[in-house]
Amino acid sequence: MGAGAPSPDAVAQGKKILVCVTGGIAAFKVVAVVRSLAETGADVRVVMTPSAHHFVGAQTFAALSGNPVATEMFGSGAAVPHVELARGADLVIVAPATANAVAKMALGFADDLFSAVLLTVRSPVLVAPAMHTEMWEHPATQRNVAALEERGITLIGPSEGALSSGDSGAGRMSEPEEIVRAGLRALGRAEDLAGVRALVTAGGTQEPIDPVRFVGNRSSGRMGFAIAQEAAARGARVTVVAGATSAEPPPGIEVVRVATADEMRAAVLERAPECDVTVKAAAVADFKPREAVDRKLKKASGPPEITLVPTPDILAELGSSPGLRKARGILVGFAAETEPDPGVLGRLAEGKRRSKGADVIVANDVGSSDSGFGAATNRAVIASPDGLTDVGLVTKIALASALMDVVAGLLRTRRSL
Ligand code: C5P
């Protein structure tokens, strides 16, 4: 990794960018997107759905991109055109994305070239929806959009404004400059953790009372898994140490399973010395039964008296003992607070950052139904040596992305010192 952030344009030089144009009136604005991307030196290829041809001619995109436009699954001469287009793509932009295009992506259709390409690509994907307000606000579209975001796909817009129907509302495609900027940012991000070793803890620990009962918590593992997915997408080699989770871990990432805080501590301390970034997103139980009995407690024996003792505070241990960590590595912790106010969250995050010796603390609200344990979204403030970032209420993958922006920035600064 270099000392400074590369310039936005340089990052696109020679990169293969697929622009998928689906059938909406906003397709005319994508002409400017293709031209700007081609001017950065990127190798731009355009895929059009058959209905996109009603709005812009393939000839226009071919001339601006300098490449033939692909529309058909069969008859192009290539044996498997969707695989050839998708493999090696550094970035895919779907603009405009109609309600139909969003639905097909959400469900994993592969009945035309566009949807088959989207099912094959492994690069970052940006989607710029454009549709009438009613279609955008329909629960079916909203559910499809949420499914895309959950998978790590970035939504650009839509914004509010004039629509082709003559009225005005939500559903207007973002402006071309905004789409190009988001594309360049995604390309920059796609590499900003290259060569980085990352360790992420996820889920909750379970502290046994007897062979069948435990002290635990409601953590789903979603936040830790989102961080692991985002770090891997940006080039990091990631290991997740996971306690109990109800969410699925992201594919292709090493997962080490543990049950208790003591097991999590051992797994983390073993790996932390090699890791450039350690993120403690797990909800570690703060207390455990002093001893777990090895036979099931009998109901007939009456209510047991359980004495709780503290578990090891893994984050604080790492924070206070630099010898346990890689030199110039970044230590990130979480603070679960029943507090939605960003001002208070910020103060709590900064306080915990200092008391635990962490570089970064993410304070999130676990007291609301739309934030914290088990929810798809999170309301959070990030405290780092550079100050506070109020992320607001966003999907867990968007919070993971904001966190990795902070981490990548800190790594750049430390490596240039
Ligand atoms: O002190 P508190 O539990 O609020 O701190 C939360 C942070 O500390 C989280 O990052 C969590 O993973 C970590 N933690 C830990 N070991 C514990 C308790 C919490 O590493 N025993």
Side-chain angles (χ1 to χ4, degrees), residues 6-17 37-44 90 184 187 191:
S7 84
D9 272 30
V11 107
Q13 183 73 40
K15 292 282 159 57
K16 189 170 156 190
I17 303 177
L37 290 174
E39 280 171 4
T40 64
D43 175 14
V44 183
D90 297 291
L184 298 179
L187 282 175
E191 291 182 355

Side-chain angles (χ1 to χ4, degrees), residues 32-172:
V33 172
V34 170
R35 190 184 52 209
S36 299
L37 290 174
E39 280 171 4
T40 64
D43 175 14
V44 183
R45 314 240 157 178
V46 176
V47 172
M48 294 174 79
T49 60
S51 53
H53 291 272
H54 293 297
F55 300 95
V56 181
Q59 219 34 55
T60 306
F61 285 125
L64 290 172
S65 67
N67 283 312
V69 170
T71 303
E72 298 299 333
M73 189 82 165
F74 306 103
S76 69
V80 267
H82 60 292
V83 176
E84 279 175 34
L85 281 162
R87 284 226 180 111
D90 297 291
L91 174 70
V92 177
I93 299 176
V94 184
T98 59
N100 185 52
V102 168
K104 287 173 87 167
M105 289 175 69
L107 289 172
F109 271 49
D111 64 343
D112 60 10
L113 183 65
F114 156 73
S115 53
V117 163
L118 265 294
L119 204 57
T120 313
V121 285
R122 292 294 175 264
S123 69
V125 176
L126 306 183
V127 171
M131 63 196 78
H132 296 296
T133 308
E134 292 86 342
M135 296 172 89
W136 172 249
E137 288 177 348
H138 196 285
T141 304
Q142 288 302 308
R143 200 187 50 216
N144 291 335
V145 164
L148 297 188
E149 288 194 291
E150 186 119 324
R151 261 181 245 151
I153 289 174
T154 304
L155 265 277
I156 314 166
S159 57
E160 296 210 3
L163 300 170
S164 63
S165 49
D167 48 1
S168 175
R172 183 182 158 90

Side-chain angles (χ1 to χ4, degrees), residues 201 261 280-286 311-316 332-337 352 356 361:
T201 68
K280 294 283 295 93
V284 185
D286 291 320
T311 55
D313 189 327
I314 311 163
L315 179 64
V332 181
F334 271 70
E337 308 290 351
K352 187 154 288 191
K356 294 251 192 182
I361 288 282

Side-chain angles (χ1 to χ4, degrees), residues 132-389:
H132 296 296
T133 308
E134 292 86 342
M135 296 172 89
W136 172 249
E137 288 177 348
H138 196 285
T141 304
Q142 288 302 308
R143 200 187 50 216
N144 291 335
V145 164
L148 297 188
E149 288 194 291
E150 186 119 324
R151 261 181 245 151
I153 289 174
T154 304
L155 265 277
I156 314 166
S159 57
E160 296 210 3
L163 300 170
S164 63
S165 49
D167 48 1
S168 175
R172 183 182 158 90
M173 192 180 81
S174 295
E175 294 310 310
E177 311 79 61
E178 207 179 317
I179 296 173
V180 170
R181 262 200 313 275
L184 298 179
R185 247 195 334 265
L187 282 175
R189 279 187 180 139
E191 291 182 355
D192 66 1
L193 296 180
V196 166
R197 282 285 285 124
L199 181 64
V200 181
T201 68
T205 65
Q206 297 184 337
E207 312 299 330
I209 296 169
D210 69 11
V212 295
R213 302 181 179 96
F214 56 82
V215 176
N217 58 62
R218 296 185 198 281
S219 173
S220 63
R222 272 175 116 151
M223 190 64 239
F225 289 159
I227 291 167
Q229 179 180 326
E230 177 68 15
R234 293 160 78 142
R237 190 146 69 84
V238 184
T239 302
V240 178
V241 174
T245 57
S246 51
E248 279 301 307
I253 287 174
E254 184 194 12
V255 180
V256 177
R257 285 284 175 184
V258 296
T260 65
D262 287 302
E263 288 171 18
M264 184 169 278
R265 175 178 178 272
V268 167
L269 294 191
E270 185 187 328
R271 292 166 178 83
E274 270 83 59
C275 289
D276 306 283
V277 182
T278 300
V279 184
K280 294 283 295 93
V284 185
D286 291 320
F287 303 102
K288 63 177 179 179
R290 187 166 53 204
E291 66 251 339
V293 293
D294 56 8
R295 294 178 64 82
K296 184 178 170 226
L297 292 168
K298 293 280 187 209
K299 187 159 128 189
S301 312
E305 253 186 39
I306 300 170
T307 306
L308 298 176
V309 295
T311 55
D313 189 327
I314 311 163
L315 179 64
E317 192 174 347
L318 287 171
S320 61
S321 319
L324 294 176
R325 300 196 272 142
K326 188 167 175 177
R328 292 190 289 174
I330 309 284
L331 180 61
V332 181
F334 271 70
E337 308 290 351
T338 42
E339 177 58 66
D341 184 291
V344 183
L345 276 178
R347 276 198 298 285
L348 293 168
E350 182 55 23
K352 187 154 288 191
R353 196 176 81 80
R354 289 169 189 273
S355 68
K356 294 251 192 182
D359 298 295
V360 178
I361 288 282
V362 183
N364 63 320
D365 172 26
V366 295
S368 317
S369 59
D370 56 2
S371 183
F373 289 174
T377 48
N378 230 345
R379 184 179 291 103
V381 175
I382 302 173
S384 82
D386 297 335
L388 297 176
T389 308

